[in-house]
């Protein structure tokens, strides 16, 4: 009897934690959508991204690729693209690029694997071969390669 009650309690706890996780990731996504609607000029979006990165672990959205994609979609597409080689090599728009690199590093720490859409999004935002795009391409190559790597040698 005690065993059945304990298993029922564990089942309810599992269902509640799964529901809480879903509602938390939806909360982060809804907060990003609300920011986008209330701030159409996208002022201070870098500060919002930094704040969202700090709160992602609290709301259990730190392992969700869609939440990171929503954060990267806050960056404007077009104005941050590099016009020439000098801008690309000297890290033009340093605050925005370091913010995007922080997003990618947090994804790497939490073992979130990029997909090609995410890399295309970074290319559309920052242009080809900037520091952010280089990091995203390296992550796309190495995280996928090392994810299936076995620690046991043959």
């Amino acid at each position: 009897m005690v065993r059945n009650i304990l298993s029922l309690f564990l089942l309810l706890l599992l269902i509640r934690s799964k529901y809480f996780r879903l509602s938390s990731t939806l909360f982060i996504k809804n907060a990003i959508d609300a920011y986008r609607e209330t701030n159409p000029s996208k002022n201070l979006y870098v500060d919002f991204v930094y704040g969202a990165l700090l709160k992602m672990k609290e709301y259990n959205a730190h392992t969700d690729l869609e939440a990171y994609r929503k954060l990267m979609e806050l960056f404007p597409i077009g104005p941050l693209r590099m016009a020439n080689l000098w801008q690309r090599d000297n890290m033009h728009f340093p605050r925005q690029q370091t913010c995007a690199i922080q997003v990618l590093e947090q994804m790497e720490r939490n073992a979130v694997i990029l997909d090609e859409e995410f890399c295309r999004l970074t290319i559309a935002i920052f242009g080809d071969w900037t520091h952010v795009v280089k990091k995203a391409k390296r992550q796309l190559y190495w995280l996928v390669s090392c994810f299936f790597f076995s620690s046991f040698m043959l």
Side-chain angles (χ1 to χ4, degrees), residues 7-146:
S7 63
L8 181 64
F9 176 72
L10 288 174
L11 180 67
L12 288 174
L13 188 63
L14 178 68
I15 290 171
R16 183 173 178 211
S17 66
K18 191 179 276 189
Y19 173 74
F20 181 72
R21 184 177 187 279
L22 284 176
S23 65
S24 298
T25 56
L26 286 176
F27 179 75
I28 290 287
K29 292 175 188 175
N30 290 339
I32 294 170
D33 289 337
Y35 175 78
R36 187 178 288 146
E37 289 173 8
T38 58
N39 195 0
S41 63
K42 293 186 179 180
N43 291 336
L44 302 174
Y45 63 91
V46 174
D47 298 327
F48 181 80
V49 170
Y50 277 130
L53 286 177
L54 291 175
K55 293 291 184 180
M56 284 183 96
K57 191 144 195 155
E58 181 180 326
Y59 288 105
N60 236 358
H62 61 285
T63 58
D64 188 21
L65 179 63
E66 290 299 318
Y68 289 108
R69 184 173 288 132
K70 286 261 192 193
L71 279 179
M72 286 298 285
E73 286 173 357
L74 285 177
F75 288 94
I77 294 177
L80 300 178
R81 289 182 70 91
M82 307 306 145
N84 54 31
L85 185 68
W86 184 83
Q87 288 179 348
R88 185 186 74 196
D89 289 340
N90 291 323
M91 199 166 180
H92 204 54
F93 299 111
R95 189 160 185 253
Q96 288 81 2
Q97 284 199 36
T98 54
C99 180
I101 288 172
Q102 286 293 323
V103 171
L104 291 171
E105 285 179 356
Q106 183 165 335
M107 289 174 71
E108 185 178 357
R109 277 193 305 270
N110 294 321
V112 178
I113 297 177
L114 301 177
D115 56 351
E116 289 188 24
E117 263 184 57
F118 200 90
C119 283
R120 284 192 210 113
L121 180 64
T122 57
I123 291 171
I125 294 170
F126 294 103
D128 286 332
W129 298 109
T130 56
H131 295 281
V132 180
V133 173
K134 285 180 188 177
K135 176 133 182 94
K137 287 182 178 180
R138 287 180 190 135
Q139 265 185 301
L140 182 64
Y141 179 78
W142 285 108
L143 282 180
V144 172
S145 299
C146 295

Side-chain angles (χ1 to χ4, degrees), residues 149-154:
F149 182 70
S150 175
S151 61
F152 301 105
M153 301 302 284
L154 293 177

